[in-house]
Amino acid sequence: LHRRTVLKAMAGTGFLLALSPGFLLTGCDDGVIATEPGTLGLDSEEYDVELDLRATPDSASILPGAPSEVWRYRAKLLKGPGDTLSEIPDSYLGPTIRLRRGQTVKIQIHNELPEDTTVHWHGLHVPSDVDGQPRLPIPPGETMTVGFEVLDRAGLFWYHSHAHGEQGGRVGFQSYAGLAGLLIIEDDEERDLELPSGDNELLLVLQDRTFTGANELVYLDGGMGGMMERMRGFLGDRMLVNGVPPATRKVASRPYRVRVLNGSNARIYKLAWSDGRPVTVIGADGGLLREPEERPYVMLAPAQRLDIWVDLSESEPGRSLELISDHYDAGMMRGGMMDGGMMGGGMMGGGMMGGMGMMSSSALPVGSRFTLTRLEVAESVEASGQLPAQLGLHRQKIPVNTATRVRPFELSMVMMRGFAINGRRFEGTSVADDEKVRLGDTEIWEFRNNTPMPHPIHIHGLQFNVLGRRGGSRDSVRQGLVDSGWHDTVLVMPRETVQLAMKFERFDGLYMYHCHNMEHEDAGMMRYFRIEG
Ligand code: C2O
Ligand code: CU
Ligand code: CU
């Protein structure tokens, strides 16, 4: 086994760089703006909600035995409804922030870490300056205050670090260390549906992690071995759900709403029920679908969310049902020693990537079957709540036609340097001519994956429609790709082309688009684009 970066060693040093070889990375050279006094974004006299959010080193009991060193968000509610903040029990993840559409929000963010950080509101339609982008870092010991109005429809979003240092991205490390949390938006339309809520709404954050025998969190190594792992993205050797090992949850014989975030750095899950019942999907990244959809299983790539309805009202007390990640052909994403990185599913066969699986030691190979959560029916109740036939009544589609501009993006591999988008990698805020769009325009963005790996492509500041897919190897995942509804992250399978419809509304300025495999984005598979007003 090669040397690994252990969080404990890093958190204590004050200055830490578990950084990767320079040839994988690019610096962020321009556009760095110092923290300004005052509020970025919406600046008003009165806000509906005011929060104080700290990013801070801490320790947490994740596994039995010694506590683990983590970096985490701590929050205080200064003003607003009492249910705005809730802690996930026993979790080192950030508190769940519950906001309502139309609220104005002010958040003071304090950086108590030994390095720059930012807080990105993933999926939210917010002004560029409060989007938590790497161009606006919060240096150690400083505070940044952001304000915005909640414009999005009801949905499950999240917040996480988006820092990028001089030697490369820090999203992978900082999120891994614990800087991530859920953000729920509610609205009247959703409330009227009376979906299961409170104890009947299960929120699940899926993350894979590796620990030493002394319970120290282990991240990637900076050396050559780490480089190969960075190409694939971090894979842990055990699952954490909501920051703790998968557990049994006592439930009643009634319907549940299960809302799942893939908060992993690189792992893709194939969610299914252990008894083979279909998965009933009611929502995706940007909120509810128009109507429920049944799938044999559903794929969930890093940063994506799915909203699932499950009805346990036929289950006798004592019965249990497991949410699992099922077997699939992960090709070169596999992490097991035994899998050896040999290609399957028509993906690239050999070349420099061929030995990748061999370099890794994950005890939890991608594409293997494992349990995420066990629901045990502990009490029998009068069944309550029907699954509504119609869900999201709002507009579900951005109108496009043959005159809509198609903007092509090619995802490619640069030998020994990682991945690129249209041949370019992250260069701070520099924006090429073909990365400038006009405020008010509707466009089709076409991502062509010319690599043997899947890439979850994320676009900041908006929700898009997935128009269609062609080509590519996706046989063992095809039926699990939920493309209807609103999304901010789309899984583009190896050699596949995916078209997205999007509209640039309300805010101009700099936004980002990138692969949400965190090691890929940190290594430069990330760009800015500019919305010109
Ligand atoms: Cu969830 Cu640019 O990130
Ligand atoms: Cu984002
Ligand atoms: Cu990628």
Side-chain angles (χ1 to χ4, degrees), residues 99-105 123-127 148-154 157 185 187 461 505-507:
L99 299 174
R100 281 158 194 89
R101 189 174 189 191
Q103 280 176 333
T104 53
V105 186
L124 261 56
H125 187 44
V126 293
F148 58 86
E149 182 185 344
V150 180
L151 297 172
D152 294 272
R153 281 177 302 270
F157 301 85
I185 294 179
D187 65 12
E505 289 173 296
R506 192 147 176 160
F507 303 122

Side-chain angles (χ1 to χ4, degrees), residues 120-123 131-134 158-162 171 175 302-303 305 458-460 488-489 512-516 518 521 526:
H120 169 55
W121 316 103
H122 180 116
D131 191 38
Q133 300 166 3
W158 62 306
Y159 60 103
H160 62 78
S161 152
H162 218 309
V171 179
S175 310
R305 288 86 69 205
H458 169 51
I459 297 164
H460 280 216
D488 53 55
T489 308
M512 311 191 79
Y513 66 106
H514 59 87
C515 179
H516 218 295
M518 293 181 190
E521 69 176 286
M526 174 166 80

